Structure formats: structure tokens, C-alpha cells
């Protein structure tokens, strides 16, 4: 270890205390700068690294949080908080086995800590379940859960007073959707029969779609592109109420991360699916990194679906998410995907169109599908590993190469919270749009959307959060909310 004078130690502590104040005020990037300054003055204090790791967790920079935890354990192998931070980051990435190793260390060193023990037990349960499911897959060809659902056999009780889908046509109509949205606003759920009908119909529709969809702007209307809405149903509906509901003349493209974090994810996804059924050529849905099993286990959607419906319903959602398209191209000019670009040049739209997303199912930790869902832009040229720990960060040169390869004008992507709801980067060629204002009820950011007219003009609209019932974010992921800094 580097020998540090008492004067430098004192100076480093002062800087660390300044960083703590910034952290308390939720100024995480500024706090990271200060913790980094403290580390530069005195690199021998493990807590400086874990404090910075906590900031990275708050900013969803899980790769950086793991690196800081590793460094803290180099400085002090017995610094348990570093194991806890690393477990948090790996849990956030869905690497449950790695998280379990650190949680085992934490629970052994603090046997009386009930919170640590409960998180260890919950993580161990997930690992056992994943291993069991893998064993079943090896033993037999898994049957689709959709094949075991007999919707016609489900009885709608006479006491149910919500909206109904016509039993003869089995078609979703506008009156049903309006009734459903109003019921959701009142914190009531639709009957499970109608929920099954909606999700099954979307699954069947999406199974026939390519991985990349071509989109037209209505000739006498507009197309609205929205980013992450993350289960914030009341903010999501506010988009329609202020910007216009989907219609024949008003198309919408929702660019992934419909669910998780917010505790009204079921309401969001059922509304989107219903509108997709009503207006299949005007409503477009792309898969995000949170339309995946590992994320849903951690960030609340799985628990929410099981609480509001059943385990079978969650399995059906999982299969349906696997079938969602990965990208869209608007009028042969604008490429739209949730995360970003690739670890190699030369990727073509035709390559993306042919990705076998349904067979692959979950996106994994590398490859085109993973990078589409997880990658982020950076201001520097070139490519580096992503701060999140999955995918890459890509520079303006990478964006330029991809656009030129495919004869495109620009990229719209989502995946990152932005203070004003959107950011324009890479010489105007890469736009991030994020549509969940006051993300997780704590960030204070605005949401944004992009209206595109037939002449391909882009109008950026920002909006603030609206009130919602007193249900906290990740209500249905309570075991892990503390671990993830919620």
C-alpha cells in the first residue's frame, strides 16, 4: 500500500465528507467526482471505493460498481460492505450466482443481520429455481405455457363489473380499452380471462413479426416515439391525455422498458398490448432490457404479475416478451432501438431483421441482441466496455459508420434517464428519449417524447410527473429493494 502522510489522510477525509453531502443531496455524478478526488489523495481507504460504488449503483453503472468493489477488497479483503455492494451490482445485472457468493460472505460475517440473511435466502432460492428450470430444459423440450391455457374454460363471475371482451368476436375494441384504463386508474384489475386473451393474442401476433419492423408516419397525422415508462402507469396515461391517444392518424412507438421499477407495470403493459391489438399498424412495441426474466425477477414485474394474477400469467408474459421485435426503422431514415449499437462495424439492417430472437429467448451477455438492448453512447470516439457491465459504449464514429452502412439519417434510443427527458448527441445523429418523469419517485427528471410529422420533422416535448396512488416503486420486489439502493 502507498504510504500516505497524516496531512493527506486528513485532506482525503475532508473531500470524502464533501462527497457525502453531495450524495445525500442525490447529486451522484458530482459525488463520484469528489470520491475520486479523495481516492487520488489517499487510495488506501476501502470505504472511499464502496461509497463511489454506491453512487454508480444509483446511476445504474453496475460494471463500475463491481470494479470499485473489487478495488475495495484489494485494499481490505475483510471489508464486508464491498461484498454487499458487489452483490448489489451483480443482482442488478441478473447474475444471481455471483451475487450469492458475496451474500454468503456477508451473512456469515454478520449472522445476526436479519436483512442480510433474508437477501441471501431469497437469492439462493432464485439460483435453485434457475438451475431446476435449466435441468428441465435439458430433460425435455419445454412446452409453451400458451398451449396449456384454455381461455374458453375460464368463467367470468357474475360479480365482475369491469369491461368485457365480446365472447363471440374475441376482439378488443375502443370501449373495452377505455373501460380498462378507467378501471386501472381506480386501482382495479380486469378479469384474468381478458388479460389472458390480450397477452395470448399479442404473443401470436408477435411470433410472426421479424426482429426489425419498418414504420410509416401516418400521411395525415404523426408518429410519437416514447422511451422507458417503467411501470409508471399514471405518467404513462398522462402522455396520451396530453399528447393524444393512439388512433388511425396518430401512431405510437414505445421503445422498450414498459415494466419493472414502477409498481403499475401490469396496467402499463396490458394497456399497450390492447392498443396494439386495436391499432396493429399504428402502435409499435420494441423489447427493452427489462422485458427479460432476470430483470423481472429483481425489479418487481414478476412479483407484481404473481400478486395481481398468477405464476402462469408471468410465464406467458415472459414468452411474449421473447417475441417482441428488437428494433424499428422509421421511413427508411431513423433507426430506433432500446439500447444502442454493436461491438463491430458492418452490422446491417438485414442482419438485425434476421436475429432469431424467439429461439434465443433471453438476450444473454453478448451478441447483437444483447447489444441492441444494453449498449449506451459515449462522447469519446471508439468503443469501450459498458459502465453497466453489459453491452458496450459507442462513440460518434461508431454511430456515423452504422448510419452510413445502412443509408440512415439518425438513431433514436432510450435506456438512460435524462434530466430533461432527452439528450441529442453524436453531432445530432443519436438521440436518447426517456419517458418516465421523476423516475422511481426520486430522481426529479422530466420525461420526454418525440413527435414526428410526415415531412420527418422532430418535435421534442417534455413533461413532468403527475400524482399517483401511494404505492412505492418496486413494491413487489421488497426483498431486494434495499440491496439495490431503493
Amino acid at each position: 500500500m502507498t504510504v500516505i502522510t497524516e496531512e493527506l489522510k486528513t485532506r482525503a477525509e475532508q473531500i470524502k465528507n464533501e462527497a457525502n453531502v453531495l450524495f445525500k443531496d442525490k447529486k451522484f455524478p458530482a459525488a463520484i467526482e469528489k470520491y475520486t478526488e479523495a481516492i487520488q489523495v489517499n487510495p488506501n481507504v476501502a470505504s472511499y471505493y464502496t461509497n463511489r460504488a454506491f453512487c454508480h449503483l444509483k446511476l445504474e453503472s453496475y460494471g463500475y460498481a463491481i470494479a470499485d468493489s473489487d478495488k475495495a477488497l484489494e485494499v481490505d479483503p475483510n471489508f464486508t460492505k464491498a461484498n454487499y455492494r458487489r452483490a448489489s451490482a451483480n443482482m442488478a445485472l441478473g447474475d444471481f450466482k455471483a451475487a450469492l457468493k458475496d451474500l454468503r460472505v456477508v451473512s456469515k460475517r454478520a449472522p445476526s443481520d436479519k436483512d442480510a440473511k433474508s437477501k441471501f435466502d431469497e437469492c439462493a432460492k432464485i439460483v435453485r429455481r434457475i438451475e431446476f428450470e435449466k435441468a428441465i430444459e435439458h430433460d425435455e423440450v419445454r412446452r409453451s405455457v400458451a398451449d396449456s391455457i384454455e381461455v374458453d374454460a375460464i368463467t367470468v363471475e357474475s360479480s365482475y363489473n369491469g369491461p368485457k371482451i365480446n365472447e363471440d368476436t374475441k376482439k378488443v375494441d375502443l370501449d373495452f380499452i377505455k373501460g380498462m384504463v378507467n378501471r386501472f386508474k381506480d386501482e382495479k384489475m380486469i378479469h384474468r380471462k381478458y388479460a389472458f386473451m390480450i397477452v395470448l393474442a399479442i404473443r401470436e401476433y408477435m411470433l410472426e413479426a421479424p426482429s426489425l419492423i419498418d414504420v410509416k408516419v401516418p400521411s395525415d397525422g404523426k408518429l410519437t416515439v416514447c422511451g422507458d415508462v417503467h411501470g409508471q402507469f399514471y405518467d404513462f396515461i398522462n402522455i396520451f391525455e396530453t399528447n393524444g391517444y393512439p388512433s388511425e392518424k396518430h401512431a405510437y412507438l414505445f421503445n422498450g422498458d414498459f415494466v419493472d421499477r414502477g409498481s403499475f407495470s401490469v396496467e402499463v403493459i396490458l394497456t399497450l398490448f390492447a392498443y396494439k391489438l386495436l391499432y396493429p399498424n399504428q402502435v409499435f412495441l420494441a423489447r427493452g432490457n427489462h422485458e427479460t426474466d432476470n430483470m423481472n425477477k429483481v425489479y418487481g414485474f414478476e412479483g407484481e404479475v404473481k400478486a395481481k394474477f398468477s405464476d402462469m400469467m408471468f410465464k406467458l408474459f415472459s414468452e411474449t416478451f421473447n417475441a417482441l421485435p428488437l428494433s424499428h426503422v422509421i421511413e427508411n431514415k431513423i433507426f430506433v432501438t432500446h439500447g444502442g449499437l454493436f461491438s463491430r462495424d458492418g452490422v446491417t439492417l438485414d442482419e438485425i431483421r434476421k436475429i432469431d430472437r424467439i429461439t434465443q429467448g433471453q438476450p444473454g451477455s453478448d451478441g447483437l441482441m444483447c447489444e441492441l438492448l444494453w449498449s449506451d453512447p459515449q462522447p469519446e470516439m471508439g468503443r469501450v466496455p459498458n459502465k453497466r457491465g453489459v453491452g458496450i459504449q459507442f462513440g460518434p464514429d461508431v454511430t456515423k459508420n452504422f448510419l452510413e452502412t445502412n443509408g440512415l439519417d439518425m438513431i433514436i434510443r432510450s435506456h438512460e434517464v435524462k434530466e430533461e427527458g432527452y439528450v441529442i448527441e453524436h453531432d445530432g445523429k443519436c438521440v436518447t428519449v426517456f419517458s418516465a418523469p421523476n423516475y422511481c419517485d426520486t430522481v426529479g427528471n422530466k420525461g420526454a417524447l418525440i413527435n414526428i410529422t410526415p415531412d420527418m420533422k422532430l418535435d421534442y416535448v417534455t413533461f413532468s410527473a403527475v400524482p399517483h396512488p401511494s404505492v412505492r416503486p418496486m413494491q413487489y420486489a421488497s426483498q431486494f429493494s434495499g440491496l439495490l439502493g431503493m
Side-chain angles (χ1 to χ4, degrees):
M1 294 177 71
T2 309
V3 177
I4 304 297
T5 65
E6 290 301 317
E7 183 181 353
L8 289 175
K9 288 179 183 178
T10 301
R11 175 63 184 144
E13 276 295 298
Q14 290 173 342
I15 298 168
K16 182 262 293 184
N17 290 336
E18 292 172 17
N20 289 349
V21 171
L22 291 167
F23 180 88
K24 189 177 179 181
D25 291 340
K26 299 178 181 177
K27 297 176 180 177
F28 304 123
I32 286 171
E33 289 183 11
K34 279 294 178 183
Y35 287 128
T36 301
E37 189 180 339
I39 288 167
Q40 289 167 344
V41 174
N42 182 4
N44 298 340
V45 182
S47 63
Y48 295 173
Y49 297 97
T50 55
N51 287 0
R52 190 169 68 178
F54 200 17
C55 292
H56 286 311
L57 284 171
K58 291 288 189 180
L59 295 173
E60 301 182 15
S61 301
Y62 305 122
Y64 288 176
I66 291 170
D68 270 344
S69 301
D70 290 344
K71 186 62 182 176
L73 289 168
E74 283 180 29
V75 172
D76 182 355
N78 297 312
F79 195 62
T80 306
K81 187 172 283 187
N83 296 97
Y84 193 78
R85 294 281 184 259
R86 191 164 65 185
S88 302
N90 278 311
M91 182 69 72
L93 291 169
D95 190 345
F96 302 108
K97 278 191 174 180
L100 186 62
K101 288 180 183 178
D102 279 314
L103 289 173
R104 183 177 283 113
V105 171
V106 172
S107 59
K108 280 184 178 179
R109 288 180 183 164
S112 61
D113 188 332
K114 292 181 181 178
D115 185 56
K117 179 67 165 60
S118 69
K119 288 178 171 60
F120 170 75
D121 290 343
E122 186 68 18
C123 189
K125 191 192 305 180
I126 290 175
V127 170
R128 286 195 299 271
R129 193 173 82 198
I130 291 171
E131 289 176 348
F132 174 72
E133 289 170 353
K134 283 182 179 177
I136 291 174
E137 285 182 24
H138 286 305
D139 291 342
E140 59 183 39
V141 177
R142 285 187 70 183
R143 184 183 177 211
S144 167
V145 69
D147 296 335
S148 62
I149 300 169
E150 297 183 13
V151 173
D152 291 338
I154 300 174
T155 301
V156 178
E157 299 80 7
S158 58
S159 59
Y160 174 72
N161 61 357
K164 298 179 180 181
I165 295 174
N166 187 293
E167 294 285 341
D168 296 324
T169 65
K170 293 183 170 54
K171 298 287 187 184
V172 168
D173 59 25
L174 190 54
D175 285 340
F176 172 83
I177 295 178
K178 287 179 177 178
M180 180 176 70
V181 168
N182 286 332
R183 192 168 176 85
F184 289 163
K185 287 179 180 179
D186 293 336
E187 295 183 78
K188 297 177 182 177
M189 196 47 55
I190 59 170
H191 196 278
R192 64 190 182 96
K193 177 170 187 168
Y194 304 129
F196 272 124
M197 289 173 73
I198 290 168
V199 183
L200 283 166
I202 285 292
R203 175 183 173 275
E204 187 175 346
Y205 182 93
M206 293 299 186
L207 284 172
E208 301 301 316
S211 289
L212 184 148
I213 305 289
D214 292 299
V215 176
K216 297 287 185 185
V217 179
S219 59
D220 53 352
K222 63 183 176 181
L223 166 70
T224 300
V225 179
C226 297
D228 310 35
V229 292
H230 273 302
Q232 296 182 197
F233 176 75
Y234 295 85
D235 294 312
F236 158 74
I237 283 298
N238 184 53
I239 292 172
F240 291 156
E241 291 178 343
T242 57
N243 191 63
Y245 278 83
S247 68
E248 296 286 350
K249 295 183 179 182
H250 191 167
Y252 272 89
L253 195 170
F254 282 86
N255 197 29
D257 282 12
F258 322 119
V259 303
D260 278 340
R261 297 251 186 214
S263 295
F264 302 94
S265 293
V266 167
E267 290 85 342
V268 168
I269 195 63
L270 287 176
T271 302
L272 284 172
F273 280 1
Y275 268 116
K276 176 65 179 175
L277 293 174
L278 184 62
Y279 300 117
N281 299 316
Q282 284 79 29
V283 174
F284 302 92
L285 308 174
R287 190 180 193 178
N289 66 302
H290 277 268
E291 279 71 54
T292 56
D293 287 353
N294 281 356
M295 294 296 100
N296 295 162
K297 282 178 172 61
V298 176
Y299 290 98
F301 184 61
E302 180 176 330
E304 183 183 342
V305 176
K306 289 179 178 179
K308 294 177 179 178
F309 288 108
S310 64
D311 180 58
M312 180 176 282
M313 181 68 83
F314 175 72
K315 289 176 179 175
L316 180 61
F317 270 118
S318 174
E319 286 188 6
T320 306
F321 288 165
N322 289 347
L324 290 175
L326 305 174
S327 307
H328 295 79
V329 173
I330 302 170
E331 298 286 0
N332 301 312
K333 294 180 182 296
I334 302 174
F335 180 72
V336 186
T337 199
H338 180 71
L341 297 181
F342 312 100
S343 52
R344 63 175 171 87
D345 288 336
V347 175
T348 65
L349 296 183
D350 198 44
E351 237 182 302
I352 298 168
R353 203 182 306 275
K354 291 177 180 176
I355 293 173
D356 188 359
R357 68 193 189 283
I358 295 162
T359 300
Q360 185 174 337
Q362 300 304 304
S365 57
D366 55 25
L368 297 185
M369 183 168 161
C370 168
E371 289 163 355
L372 284 166
L373 300 188
W374 279 96
S375 292
D376 293 293
Q378 64 176 17
E380 299 82 13
M381 294 291 186
R383 298 175 173 90
V384 298
N386 200 335
K387 59 186 179 292
R388 298 174 188 267
V390 186
I392 64 154
Q393 290 175 202
F394 58 96
D397 54 328
V398 177
T399 295
K400 184 172 183 287
N401 179 279
F402 176 77
L403 295 175
E404 288 178 352
T405 297
N406 293 285
L408 298 165
D409 291 348
M410 66 180 294
I411 295 168
I412 295 176
R413 43 88 62 183
S414 304
H415 195 38
E416 291 181 283
V417 60
K418 298 297 180 184
E419 187 176 351
E420 292 300 314
Y422 74 98
V423 166
I424 302 172
E425 301 173 275
H426 293 186
D427 302 316
K429 300 296 185 182
C430 181
V431 174
T432 298
V433 60
F434 190 87
S435 303
N438 194 25
Y439 183 43
C440 295
D441 289 353
T442 59
V443 178
N445 61 292
K446 289 182 179 177
L449 54 84
I450 307 170
N451 285 320
I452 304 176
T453 50
D455 57 1
M456 296 302 289
K457 288 184 179 176
L458 277 61
D459 177 32
Y460 297 89
V461 178
T462 62
F463 51 92
S464 299
V466 298
H468 66 75
S470 56
V471 179
R472 65 180 177 84
M474 287 177 63
Q475 171 70 31
Y476 300 94
S478 56
Q479 284 286 356
F480 296 122
S481 59
L483 189 66
L484 298 168
M486 296 297 295

